[in-house]
Amino acid sequence: VKSRLLNVNIVNINVPLLDKDLTVQELSSHFFRNIHNQIKQQVGKAVRDCVVSVPKTLDESVRKRLVEAAQAGGMRIKACLDDSVCALMAHRQDEAGQALTRTLVVDIGWGK
């Protein structure tokens, strides 16, 4: 999927588990929706925001498609950062007096 996401041409991928062909964008959306549903089940409430770490070499058009896929999967991208260390730094406490928030950190794992 990674190599196809990097390719600007839309390519269909056969997904036997779903018994249909999906575009890379649709498959990526399923990935994020699955994460969203698993966290909701384990924590008891929906994930509102997520931070996605990506390789520094990922160009802006691919990042944009990744953000769109996450949004289609029910996740709101709080930040799309260059590596997992930066993603962890994006998780912070809100202003004093406000409730703490939880942010899901997703490391796509494309780095070498």
Side-chain angles (χ1 to χ4, degrees), residues 25-38 66 69 73 75 106-108:
Q25 198 79 359
E26 291 169 329
L27 186 58
S28 298
S29 295
H30 278 277
F31 169 77
F32 282 103
R33 186 170 313 284
N34 186 39
I35 291 172
H36 181 267
N37 291 340
Q38 286 182 24
L66 188 63
M75 310 274 283
V106 179
D107 183 353
I108 299 299

Side-chain angles (χ1 to χ4, degrees), residues 6-18:
L6 297 174
N7 186 340
V8 269
N9 300 321
I10 303 287
V11 177
N12 286 341
I13 299 170
N14 182 266
V15 183
L17 186 63
L18 300 174

